Amino acid sequence: MSISAVKIDPRVESVAVDDRRLEVVLRDGRTISAPTAWFPRLARADAAQRADWEVSAAGLGIHWPQIDEDLSVEGLLRGGGGAA
């Protein structure tokens, strides 16, 4: 009997944000989703500002330079945002 090991990799793969949701896909295939309303800067940002994101903190955070917003994967997994 073999046991397959799940490889956990919580680094950010992709990010999508619209008027309703923030969705973060991690490299290990997990998806974190939260209401955009939880993040006031993202909620007030326009589509171009939301689309301008970059990976930070060695892959464990997300930064939106135009609106100076930072979120951490750890914070998102806990149900908040947490600064990266």
Side-chain angles (χ1 to χ4, degrees):
M1 179 173 170
S2 69
I3 299 174
S4 63
V6 175
K7 186 169 178 143
I8 301 297
D9 188 349
R11 291 177 293 167
V12 174
E13 178 71 27
S14 66
V15 175
V17 188
D18 63 25
D19 291 337
R20 295 180 46 242
R21 293 212 110 16
L22 164 66
E23 186 172 281
V24 179
V25 177
L26 304 180
R27 287 189 180 180
D28 60 17
R30 288 180 288 172
T31 300
I32 306 167
S33 182
T36 304
W38 285 9
F39 313 101
R41 290 182 186 164
L42 287 175
R44 290 189 304 265
D46 62 36
Q49 291 170 319
R50 291 177 185 152
D52 182 22
W53 62 273
E54 53 195 38
V55 174
S56 63
L60 299 175
I62 310 155
H63 176 67
W64 285 266
Q66 292 187 43
I67 60 172
D68 195 30
E69 177 72 292
D70 294 280
L71 300 177
S72 70
V73 170
E74 181 181 356
L76 291 168
L77 287 169
R78 283 193 316 238

